[in-house]
Amino acid sequence: MNEAIAATAPATSPAAKTRPGHVLIGWVLHNVVWIWLVALVVLFGSFNEFFLTVFNLQNIMVQATVLGMLGLAVALPLLVAEIDLSIPANLGFSSAIGALAYSDLGLPWFVAMLIGVGVATAIGFFNGLCITRLRMVSLIETLAMMIILQGALLALTQGKTLTNLSDGYIWIGQATIGGWPVMPLVFVVALIAMGIMLTRTVLGRSIYAVGGNAVASSAAGIRVARTKVIAYTLSGFLAGVAGFLLASWQMAITSNQGSSYLLYAIAAPIIGGVSVFGGRGNVTGILGGVLLLTVIQVGLAIISVPSFYVGIIGGFMIFVAVAIDAVRVRYFS
């Protein structure tokens, strides 16, 4: 991956790379998401003192959990130079399957939850097979899957909101320990697990290699198709867990569950430095992107900015993040 980048990057002398100004700009570009995050926290806190309260911090943590799980799910296909637009729809459909398994089939809530997560994992696996075995374009295949799952969710719910969830099913979304919500701990565990997987396992190194150069990876003996299928399967699993967490937190499943997360689920890893061309990114950057977008949404709501401006800002930040990523790769990698 680094060799490929070095081959396309303009020649820069070692002395130029060690100039203080060059080093400083490189550091800013590599940490821009955290700089934005700190600046926005200070800005929103100065507009409204409630933003910096413990209660609002807990609110940000809870809201960041579902988006964070989806951000991790989106990042896996991106790291292998693919994309999955169906992840938020998978979240909604699989959570409805789990809820109906409990309410209609009378299964224990834990078994119903496992069924929902299992369905989401199977959908991710199916996406991976279509993209690798049938050589379907991931953008189009997952767009079609997204539309199918959105329609299936609407058919399952008959346009109604499912609220018949057991106390066990909604426990993790409502539970607190010492006044602090339990649900964000799931995101923390997922972050740590994915960080270890990407940096300390053969699978993680294979994911980066395939995303950096699939042809070279295949020549080196890496099973490219299998690596992509595993990435999509893990992505589906994370989407299923996110669906359960969202249903538990909201104590309900709507007929358009998860659809509002599509923009932000894609934006979070990209803003955090996950390349849309594959092979680059880490969980620290994804965490920064998730927190940044959550702070924007919560902060704009607290200072009474109309909600439709949030989408404009989110789209603008994706544009800026991709531009910064292009500069960072071209001149500072």
Side-chain angles (χ1 to χ4, degrees):
M1 176 190 68
N2 291 331
E3 290 79 0
I5 294 174
T8 58
T12 306
S13 67
K17 285 190 175 182
T18 57
R19 286 201 299 263
H22 191 280
V23 172
L24 177 61
I25 295 174
W27 182 87
V28 169
L29 289 176
H30 280 87
N31 296 277
V32 65
V33 64
W34 297 103
I35 296 172
W36 285 353
L37 179 60
V38 172
L40 286 174
V41 167
V42 172
L43 178 65
F44 288 134
S46 64
F47 274 104
N48 191 319
E49 60 183 15
F50 174 75
F51 183 83
L52 298 177
T53 62
V54 173
F55 178 82
N56 190 54
L57 174 61
Q58 294 173 342
N59 177 44
I60 291 174
M61 290 171 56
V62 170
Q63 291 198 37
T65 298
V66 175
L67 178 60
M69 296 297 292
L70 291 179
L72 293 176
V74 169
L76 283 167
L78 288 177
L79 286 173
V80 293
E82 301 288 354
I83 194 169
D84 190 346
L85 300 180
S86 69
I87 288 172
N90 193 358
L91 172 157
F93 176 74
S94 62
S95 63
I97 290 291
L100 290 173
Y102 166 77
S103 62
D104 291 7
L105 300 181
L107 297 175
W109 74 266
F110 187 75
V111 175
M113 180 271 291
L114 290 179
I115 290 175
V117 174
V119 167
T121 305
I123 291 172
F125 176 73
F126 179 76
N127 284 338
L129 286 181
C130 289
I131 291 162
T132 56
R133 304 302 181 188
L134 300 181
R135 300 187 181 277
M136 299 175 69
V137 178
S138 59
L139 177 69
I140 305 303
E141 191 276 337
T142 57
L143 175 63
M145 182 61 68
M146 178 188 74
I147 297 171
I148 291 170
L149 294 177
Q150 287 176 340
L153 174 60
L154 187 61
L156 279 176
T157 60
Q158 295 294 298
K160 301 176 182 177
T161 299
L162 305 178
T163 57
N164 185 23
L165 304 178
S166 71
D167 292 340
Y169 204 94
I170 66 174
W171 176 84
I172 197 167
Q174 311 301 317
T176 59
I177 298 178
W180 289 85
V182 172
M183 195 170 78
L185 293 177
V186 180
F187 178 42
V188 173
V189 171
L191 269 177
I192 295 173
M194 184 162 165
I196 293 173
M197 184 272 290
L198 289 176
T199 59
R200 299 181 181 275
T201 68
V202 174
L203 174 60
R205 291 190 289 271
S206 298
I207 287 174
Y208 280 118
V210 169
N213 191 322
V215 175
S217 297
S218 181
I222 296 174
R223 300 177 66 175
V224 173
R226 186 176 72 169
T227 300
K228 289 187 176 184
V229 170
I230 292 175
Y232 270 92
T233 303
L234 291 176
S235 177
F237 170 78
L238 291 171
V241 175
F244 167 67
L245 293 175
L246 181 60
S248 180
W249 176 40
Q250 292 183 338
M251 296 187 291
I253 296 173
T254 63
S255 59
N256 63 345
Q257 187 91 329
S259 60
S260 62
Y261 281 94
L262 178 60
L263 167 67
Y264 301 105
I266 296 174
I270 294 176
I271 290 174
V274 176
S275 174
V276 295
F277 302 108
R280 288 185 296 107
N282 55 64
V283 295
T284 303
I286 297 170
L287 174 62
V290 168
L291 292 177
L292 182 64
L293 290 178
T294 306
V295 164
I296 289 174
Q297 294 180 68
V298 174
L300 292 178
I302 287 178
I303 64 176
S304 301
V305 172
S307 60
F308 43 80
Y309 286 120
V310 177
I312 297 174
I313 295 173
F316 176 75
M317 292 192 66
I318 296 175
F319 176 84
V320 172
V322 173
I324 291 175
D325 184 65
V327 173
R328 180 170 52 210
V329 171
R330 187 171 178 82
Y331 295 104
F332 295 95
S333 295

